[in-house]
Amino acid sequence: QSALTQPASVSGSPGQSITISCTGTSSDVGGYNYVSWYQQHPGKAPKLMIFDVSNRPSGVSNRFSGSKSANTASLTISGLQAEDEADYHCSSYTSSSTLRVFGGGTRLTVL
Amino acid sequence: QVQLQESGPGLVKPSETLSLTCSVSGYSISNGYYWGWIRQPPGKGLEWIGTIHHSGSTYYNPSLKSRVTISGDTSKNKFSLEVSSVTAADTAVYYCARVTRSLTGCYDYWGQGSLVTVSS
């Protein structure tokens, strides 16, 4: 069981917006602004999409955005495109002995 | 462009030691940043293994700490992972990555991954 909780799957139609949640505790997501999001296509390495809750690395589309409220972080993808179909993983620093935690991953299907 | 490449045996016998190396190009690991290992069992999520700084400082997942060693070789611009006493539960794709800060940073560059199967 992963330390951060993500929905197993979400789906949306091209052009729509979707949001993926990542729920933790006050020891990780809620206590620090160190949440990052990764996109992973089948058989490929993860790719950084969002860091420090809401920052986009250079080269990542502005259709991707991140936010946080209390113990839940969110990744929003607007204007869904077929190429967005992938697994998305969240990660956070934690002050618990685990030090670093990931979510179980969310499979995004573009209908 | 920073590139990372994992290498090592794809098959390891139970109770033996898994050894992987990550070769870095396009950036000198002695110039800064941290360097980490993450694994992903088949069909499952990501798991942090540990992180190393070029100074030699290391941080390990407590659940693996007794069996894991991460080391660096700045002269060859590589860093390595060893996991001892492996079992089938250690079967996974192992990724190396650059970390922007020790424990709070994100993983901004990744290797392509190396599948390691533990089986007799």
Side-chain angles (χ1 to χ4, degrees):
Chain A
Q1 187 173 357
S2 302
L4 303 179
T5 301
Q6 296 182 236
S9 63
V10 298
S11 62
S13 299
Q16 288 186 331
S17 293
I18 64 93
T19 296
I20 299 172
S21 62
C22 171
T23 301
T25 68
S26 58
S27 296
D28 39 64
V29 174
Y32 307 91
N33 291 324
Y34 297 135
V35 176
S36 50
W37 289 91
Y38 304 86
Q39 177 192 65
Q40 185 179 32
H41 288 109
K44 301 295 186 181
K47 173 187 176 183
L48 177 66
M49 305 303 285
I50 296 287
F51 66 95
D52 294 350
V53 175
S54 59
N55 294 283
R56 264 189 320 274
S58 173
V60 172
S61 170
N62 59 10
R63 297 187 298 106
F64 292 82
S65 61
S67 62
K68 188 185 81 168
S69 177
N71 295 338
T72 298
S74 298
L75 173 71
T76 298
I77 309 173
S78 60
L80 268 181
Q81 299 179 1
E83 67 207 49
D84 299 332
E85 186 162 289
D87 292 332
Y88 291 84
H89 306 270
C90 63
S91 180
S92 175
Y93 165 76
T94 172
S95 58
S96 73
S97 60
T98 313
L99 302 178
R100 188 86 204 199
V101 288
F102 282 93
T106 297
R107 172 69 52 88
L108 168 63
T109 301
V110 180
L111 302 171
Chain B
Q1 174 76 345
V2 181
Q3 292 184 317
L4 296 90
Q5 175 81 50
E6 303 89 351
S7 60
L11 181 64
V12 181
K13 290 182 169 56
S15 80
E16 295 189 344
T17 297
L18 176 164
S19 298
L20 293 171
T21 296
C22 182
S23 300
V24 181
S25 60
Y27 188 85
S28 173
I29 64 173
S30 59
N31 279 352
Y33 287 101
Y34 291 76
W35 306 87
W37 289 96
I38 302 102
R39 70 182 183 180
Q40 185 173 34
K44 296 186 178 181
L46 300 167
E47 179 182 31
W48 174 65
I49 300 172
T51 300
I52 187 170
H53 186 252
H54 71 84
S55 65
S57 300
T58 51
Y59 308 86
Y60 296 123
N61 186 326
S63 70
L64 299 169
K65 187 174 183 177
S66 64
R67 299 192 294 125
V68 168
T69 301
I70 296 176
S71 58
D73 187 340
T74 55
S75 67
K76 295 181 179 179
N77 218 35
K78 298 178 178 180
F79 60 105
S80 301
L81 169 71
E82 288 191 341
V83 182
S84 64
S85 305
V86 298
T87 69
D90 295 307
T91 293
V93 175
Y94 285 76
Y95 295 100
C96 59
R98 191 176 79 168
V99 193
T100 57
R101 294 186 301 264
S102 58
L103 292 170
T104 62
C106 60
Y107 304 95
D108 59 353
Y109 290 95
W110 295 67
Q112 87 284 358
S114 179
L115 173 61
V116 178
T117 301
V118 178
S119 175
S120 56

